[in-house]
Amino acid sequence: AQAVYAERGDYDGIVITHGTDTMAYTASVLSYMLQNLTKPVVLTGSQMPIDNLLTDARNNLYTAFSAVDCRIPGVSIAFDHKLIRGCRAVKVRASGFSAFESINSHYVGRVTAMGLELDETMLPRITGPARFLPQASRQVFLLKLTPGVDPSIFDVLVDLGYQGIVIEAF
C-alpha cells in the first residue's frame, strides 16, 4: 500500500499480480488504506500458470490493463472477464476460472464482444485528495456464525484483545 501510494503519480495505473487464495483480502485492505485514488490499482492472478497453453492469466492481465486504459479509479480485481471493486470481491471457487464474485454488489465492468462495459454506478466516489491510511488493525476477528454458537464467545474475543468482530452470517 505504501509503495502504491508513493508511486501512483508516476504511472497511469498500477497492476499487481497476486496469488488467488488471498487476493480478495489484499484488495479489500488496499481499498481502505488507499482512499480517494483517481488512478486504477488492479489486482489479478490466474487459476493456471501463465506458461500453460490454456491459462487464464493472459486474459486476466488484458482485463487489468483495460481497466488502467479506461482509467477506472480505485482498487479492483480483474478476473474471468470481470472487474470487481476491491472491497466487494470474494473468492468463491478454488478451481475453475470463475473463482471470484462481487458480493451484494454489481460488477464494475465486464469484458464483452463490445470491449470493457462499465457500470458507472459502481465507480468509487472521490471525496477529496488521495489519502494513505497506514494503520490497519490486526485486532479484528472473523466469526462465522452458525447455529448453536455460545454467545460467551464474544466475551472471550474481547478478553483476548480484539477491537472488532466481523460476523459472517446468513
Side-chain angles (χ1 to χ4, degrees):
Q2 185 174 8
V4 168
Y5 185 77
E7 301 296 328
R8 74 191 189 288
D10 295 335
Y11 301 96
D12 294 334
I14 296 173
V15 174
I16 300 170
T17 56
H18 199 290
T20 61
D21 287 346
T22 58
M23 186 182 332
Y25 295 108
T26 300
S28 184
V29 76
L30 286 176
S31 295
Y32 293 104
M33 293 178 78
L34 302 169
Q35 297 187 355
N36 293 319
L37 291 179
T38 58
K39 293 186 178 181
V41 174
V42 188
L43 287 84
T44 194
S46 64
Q47 292 293 79
M48 297 176 78
I50 198 166
D51 63 350
N52 185 304
L53 181 64
L54 300 174
T55 188
D56 56 329
R58 290 178 195 87
N59 284 331
N60 291 340
L61 282 167
Y62 297 148
T63 302
F65 293 137
S66 292
V68 170
D69 190 49
C70 291
R71 296 182 172 90
I72 308 301
V75 178
S76 59
I77 286 181
F79 214 88
D80 190 37
H81 305 286
K82 297 175 280 203
L83 195 61
I84 306 169
R85 293 274 311 263
C87 60
R88 293 293 187 176
V90 67
K91 187 170 182 185
V92 296
R93 291 175 198 86
S95 61
F97 295 134
S98 59
F100 290 88
E101 296 290 338
S102 182
I103 300 303
N104 296 325
S105 183
H106 297 279
Y107 296 115
V108 174
R110 289 178 182 265
V111 176
T112 70
M114 303 303 292
L116 182 59
E117 295 184 357
L118 300 177
D119 181 343
E120 301 279 335
T121 66
M122 294 310 304
L123 297 177
R125 293 184 193 157
I126 308 301
T127 60
R131 296 186 328 158
F132 172 55
L133 302 176
Q135 302 302 323
S137 175
R138 296 177 188 266
Q139 297 302 318
V140 178
F141 188 84
L142 171 62
L143 176 62
K144 295 186 179 214
L145 200 58
T146 58
V149 170
D150 185 338
S152 64
I153 187 71
F154 293 102
D155 295 325
V156 172
L157 293 172
V158 168
D159 291 343
L160 288 172
Y162 284 99
Q163 297 175 347
I165 302 170
V166 175
I167 300 173
E168 183 177 322
F170 294 96

